[in-house]
């Protein structure tokens, strides 16, 4: 057995660098308090995903700005793009905020420069209204990064307020940004699933963003500016994605299982929209989905996209560049680079890639050329470039660890005496063929796999809790890190709406596992020990 984990509760995974984005939540009771957003618990957090709870450097910068601006009693959110402030104000004053909506006169925008580093567009509002405004930061993901905040605080003595007409500081992109674009473009063309594409992805087709959600939000905003139409989310997706599609623009249709039956439902919906003289602007889908790992049929989605003229957007974060090639179908590929591409859980980033073989390429290229404003901080680019150098080697370990655990759990799921009832992974689900149709070709140095993420389900909530509390591994949100992270995803994110998500196959008895780089035998041993505790409880009951 591995040594007992020494990571203190509510701190980051070791080595816990300054810009860590993880948290260790060791007990089920902690998780329930987190789901209920209990202030006493959250006050104990020493680390957390910085899009959810502001990083300490971001909080310090906010405080410094309020001091310099002499706005006591106010809170503020700093952005590095003026359009983010505009959208934040629109969000905070929207009728969708109901009685909590701010009035326009409660919001003030001021502009600050830190010479040679950044221009900050800052929105001020009454401090007690922060819970109304903060969700924009969480959903859109366009807030400034912790590294940028740290560097701002270091140079706070040169922070000065400026007029909008004052020339903006000229910031050159670091070499790391171009290296990342080249690296990603190369990965998109490495050992393609189908070698017959008309054109190859170039570095100029790769657009970098601050966070995974900022890539989704920004692309959604670009399409709204051109088409202002509804979207579809096909299959389940990360928690914030449907909120972005619902909260910005004219709404969306949610087909949350992504099954062949829902493909028929999607086509029926598209026909009805066409009859009414309208059409959707995009279909978003994850490949595979989070957290139930179902894989959509991209071939059929591509046929519908061609017939009904919508943009097909595929988020390949879970499958990952090295394993899957979705360019045979997607017009745009979105990826959270925060995850396995970075691999060390200390930098946020994302990419949007335009498919040069798409019939919509010229149209989308012009749209991105008009609207894309690179807000990815050079300091983050440098950290990401360094982290991603061993992406392929790490991915081989992640693929293997996940597959071995899945194979072990699948045997248990077929045993009526086991507390394990079902395993969710591309290899165990009916949609396996859809995943394998997009797998890259094996090469001498890499064999594609099925990714680092899986879920599995227990027979009762009691055995689920027993497993979680006994397991001697790190526990919390995030995936693709250097250490394994285990999370009761449904309970943590949907614990107050279990009836609502049950129709999509989500259940509180499910555990999501994002494997890390530990020795496979160590992971199997730790799982075996925790499962014995669950099985013992099952026997007693």
């Amino acid at each position: 057995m591995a040594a007992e984990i020494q990571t203190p509760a509510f701190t980051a995974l070791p080595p816990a660098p300054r810009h860590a984005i993880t948290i260790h939540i060791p007990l089920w009771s902690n998780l329930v308090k987190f789901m209920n957003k209990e202030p006493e618990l959250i006050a104990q957090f020493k680390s957390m995903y910085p899009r959810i709870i502001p990083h300490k450097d971001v909080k310090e910068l906010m405080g410094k700005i309020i001091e310099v601006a002499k706005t006591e009693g106010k809170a503020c959110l700093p952005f590095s793009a003026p359009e983010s402030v505009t959208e934040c104000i629109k969000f905070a004053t929207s009728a969708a905020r109901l009685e909590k909506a701010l009035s326009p006169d409660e919001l003030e925008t001021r502009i600050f420069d830190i010479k040679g580093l950044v221009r900050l567009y800052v929105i001020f509002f009454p401090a007690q209204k922060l819970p109304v405004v903060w969700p924009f930061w969480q959903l859109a993901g366009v807030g400034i990064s912790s590294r940028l905040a740290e560097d701002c605080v270091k140079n706070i003595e040169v922070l000065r307020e400026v007029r909008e007409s004052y020339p903006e500081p000229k910031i050159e992109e670091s070499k790391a940004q171009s290296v990342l674009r080249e690296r990603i473009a190369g990965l998109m063309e490495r050992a393609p699933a189908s070698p017959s594409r008309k054109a190859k992805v170039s570095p100029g087709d790769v657009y970098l963003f601050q966070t995974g959600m900022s890539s989704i939000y920004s692309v959604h905003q670009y399409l709204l500016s051109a088409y202002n139409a509804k979207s579809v989310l096909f299959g389940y997706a990360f928690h914030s994605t449907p909120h972005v599609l619902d909260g910005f623009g004219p709404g969306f249709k949610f087909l949350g299982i992504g099954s062949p039956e829902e493909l028929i439902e999607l086509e029926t919906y598209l026909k009805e929209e066409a009859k009414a003289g309208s059409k959707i602007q995009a279909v978003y889908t994850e490949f595979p989905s989070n957290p139930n790992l179902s894989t959509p049929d991209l071939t059929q989605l591509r046929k519908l996209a061609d017939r009904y003229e919508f943009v097909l957007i595929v988020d390949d974060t879970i499958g990952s560049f090295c394993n899957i090639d979705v360019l045979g179908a997607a017009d745009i590929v979105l990826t959270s680079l925060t995850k396995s591409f970075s691999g060390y859980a200390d930098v946020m980033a994302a990419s949007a890639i335009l498919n040069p073989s798409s019939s919509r390429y010229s149209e989308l290229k012009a749209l991105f050329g008009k609207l894309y404003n690179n807000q990815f901080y050079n300091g983050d680019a440098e950290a990401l470039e360094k982290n991603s150098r061993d992406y392929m080697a790490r991915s081989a370990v992640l693929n293997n660890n996940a597959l071995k655990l899945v194979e072990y759990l699948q045997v248990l799921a077929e045993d009526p005496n086991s507390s394990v009832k079902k395993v969710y992974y591309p290899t165990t689900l009916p949609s396996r063929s859809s995943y394998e149709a997009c797998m890259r070709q094996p090469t001498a140095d890499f064999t594609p796999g099925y990714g680092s993420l899986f879920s599995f389900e227990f027979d009762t909530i009691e055995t689920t809790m027993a497993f979680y509390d006994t397991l001697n591994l790190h526990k919390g949100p995030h995936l693709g890190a250097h250490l394994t992270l285990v999370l009761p995803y449904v309970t943590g994110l949907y614990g107050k709406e279990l009836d609502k998500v049950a129709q999509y196959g989500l259940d509180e008895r499910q555990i999501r596992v994002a494997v890390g780089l530990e020795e496979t035998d160590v992971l199997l041993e730790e799982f075996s020990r925790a499962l014995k505790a669950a099985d013992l409880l099952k026997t007693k009951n």
Side-chain angles (χ1 to χ4, degrees), residues 404-441:
K404 294 301 183 186
L405 282 171
V406 164
E407 289 173 344
Y408 167 68
L409 291 167
Q410 184 61 26
V411 171
L412 296 179
E414 294 167 4
D415 179 355
N417 296 315
S418 171
S419 55
V420 176
K421 290 303 169 191
K422 187 170 183 180
V423 184
Y424 301 82
Y425 195 56
T427 61
T428 67
L429 299 174
S431 59
R432 176 173 184 164
S433 61
S434 294
Y435 184 97
E436 291 181 342
C438 293
M439 288 182 81
R440 295 189 182 276
Q441 298 297 317

Side-chain angles (χ1 to χ4, degrees), residues 92-110:
T93 58
S94 167
R97 309 285 84 74
L98 303 176
E99 71 278 358
K100 296 180 180 180
L102 280 74
S103 61
D105 59 6
E106 290 182 286
L107 298 155
E108 179 187 11
T109 301
R110 294 165 68 173

